Amino acid sequence: MTRLISGLLFSLPATTALADPDGYGHMMGWGSGGFGMIFGPVLWLIVLGLVVAGIIWIARRIDEAAPPRQQPGAVAELDMRFARGEIDAEEYASRKKLLST
């Protein structure tokens, strides 16, 4: 029994080398990485950049599609005050003339 266990323990590390009798060429000619080791992170940076650019593009498109926010100007405020009855027609006309010049 101990011979079987010791035989298995000693043969396990050797199975990888025995499975590739041609000399550890399991990467099909790519060697130890080389160009692939540099190209992988560069590819991921390109993909990440495209994702960020896409998110920015979509956010801008959504913002352009939103209705423009109108801030009340002086004439709009004057119109509202006249509509509420806070000022009379003479004061409205004189202030509107003053604002339009």
Side-chain angles (χ1 to χ4, degrees), residues 13-86:
T15 56
T16 306
L18 292 176
D20 189 14
D22 294 332
Y24 206 67
H26 69 280
M27 295 185 72
M28 292 189 271
W30 283 90
S32 64
F35 183 70
M37 295 290 284
I38 295 171
F39 185 68
V42 170
L43 179 66
W44 278 110
L45 287 175
I46 290 170
V47 169
L48 181 63
L50 289 173
V51 168
V52 169
I55 290 171
I56 291 171
W57 181 76
I58 289 171
R60 286 184 179 173
R61 296 276 298 190
I62 290 172
D63 191 40
E64 289 174 358
R69 297 181 208 118
Q70 295 181 355
Q71 296 192 358
V75 176
E77 183 67 31
L78 185 63
D79 291 340
M80 289 300 296
R81 287 187 66 195
F82 181 65
R84 287 190 296 249
E86 294 176 6

